[in-house]
Amino acid sequence: MNVAEWLGTSLVGIYRFITSDAAQAVINRPLGADGPAFAQIEPMASGGSKVTWTEYQAPRRTFEKIISTSSSNRTDWKRIDKVTRTVLHQLSMPGSPATQDTEPTRHVRLPIKVFSTIDSWELAFKNFNDRNSANYGALDFVDVFIAKRASDGNGGYTQNFAETPTKLGTPVRYSAGATSERYLITDIHFQLEANVEYLLSYAYTTPGGTPNHMGIGGSYLGTNPAGVQSMSVSNQWSQYTPLDVYLKLEASTDVPFYVYPGSSSETGLNTDYPLRDVWGWRHAEAHGAIPALIGQSGTTLDSWVGANNYIRGKFSTIARADKVIGNPGSNDVYGGNSLSVMKSRFEAFAVWVRKYLGDAFESADVFPRRSETAAIKAVREEFNAWLKTLPANTLVSHDRVSVVSDANGLMRVDFDSGDGTHLNTYGQHMLGASILVASGGGAPGPAGPAGPGVPAGGAAGQVLRKDSTGNGTVWDTITGALVGLGNVDNTTDANKPVSGPQATAIALKQNKLVKDPEGFYLIGG
């Protein structure tokens, strides 16, 4: 790209590149800027171009100036820092210890979509199930690639790249042993555009043999690492994703960051698209927030408060959430715990939330399963009633029970994923819509036109109908003509006339039969 293209407006678009000696010769480094940077040149309709320069590394300062062939339009560099914070975004979640991956080689295409543009991030893989502290051993990764996701032409997406993929690097083993098996790619500066579908493509072999960790989360699975950067692959959709995969995003502080703790119901287990189908994802999407879905399969409230809870470790370098929404108490209730135990555990959990996740805590009630004993139902209902009193300084108690329940107070059969415990895709979507409305979801639409109203007057037996303009209403008495029955009257049956054809037929009838001399009756004469 040459200087003329940068200065002109004939090319509409934004041009991004990592700075080099050649680039620096054209747009000099801002005064005070340091290290490698991300330069963005955006042609302006008024003439010239706006240049933005953002440092890759801390303190990640941002500078801006206008370049133009007209000296009157040019400006010097000015600092316009976009303050960021590090937030967590899970792409898969630890599942049941019984769910493991037995393939010795893997190629995974994992969808990514964020609701705010991200310029800098970190990628992590863990071959470790924190749910039961199971370390599955070392992996040999190949390079990881990313690209926009190809459309299927019907409003959906495929497992294929829509563009030439970008190499992010090879994951480096950062920690191993009894408490972790973690691999990272740090300081990634591939821009994730807001609300755009991407595919993360990673592959590895298992030198020590299988099994490996299998997490909850939708992805496309294959067994050929050689396809990691291929445009098209034959990988098949799965509700599970090998490894615990998560991102640490440098997000602007004006982008909300919401955390959704819970059990397997908060991961979307058994839905068509785990994590994406879950109610928390839809709630975050409607608010333009970065969601951290941190449900853990099989967990209880007290397990979150435990000293070795892995969530606390993940959040040690993460910004505090603007909202924490959820309640991982379902397994406590259905485990047969008493109401006093439930209250005690929830209060301890609320303290833990504020210590490690965020101050603004909104609880959610425990919705029913397809079957429950009378004792469990009583505890569940009493616990939910207590949550509505906003104990432990919770801000809101979200109602999920009324959405999920049938006439008998159990999970609706059309919401059941088939195991009697987890919601299916339809149930999660309905739950997400309900919570979104209750939490003041989207912005209100424009007011509709005023209705015609009800005019004064009216008497017994009268009805409202549109007036002759079609825009107002008037009172009117019901008549046959008013309802399209103008030809109907109250003639009695005895006085009802016959039709013309019927009268002709009657005139032709023979009134009396005549017997001939031989005793036969004659017809017609």
Side-chain angles (χ1 to χ4, degrees), residues 204-251:
Y204 56 83
T205 58
T206 311
T210 57
N212 289 315
H213 173 50
M214 184 68 91
I216 301 171
S219 64
Y220 297 95
L221 303 186
T223 57
N224 181 14
V228 69
Q229 67 181 106
S230 300
M231 292 294 293
S232 299
V233 294
S234 58
N235 294 24
Q236 298 298 305
W237 180 254
S238 171
Q239 295 175 333
Y240 295 91
T241 296
L243 312 181
D244 176 2
V245 188
Y246 58 95
L247 309 178
K248 290 185 177 181
L249 308 173
E250 291 301 317

Side-chain angles (χ1 to χ4, degrees), residues 416-431:
D416 182 8
S417 67
D419 62 6
T421 299
H422 300 95
L423 297 175
N424 58 21
T425 299
Y426 178 46
Q428 286 281 6
H429 287 190
M430 293 297 289
L431 184 57

Side-chain angles (χ1 to χ4, degrees), residues 24-36:
Q24 238 175 266
V26 177
I27 49 172
N28 295 323
R29 179 188 298 273
L31 183 63
D34 189 26

Side-chain angles (χ1 to χ4, degrees), residues 85 87 115-118 251-258 288-290 322:
R85 57 180 173 173
V87 300
F115 306 131
S116 174
T117 297
I118 302 295
S252 173
T253 52
D254 59 6
V255 176
F257 173 43
Y258 294 171
I290 301 294
D322 298 302

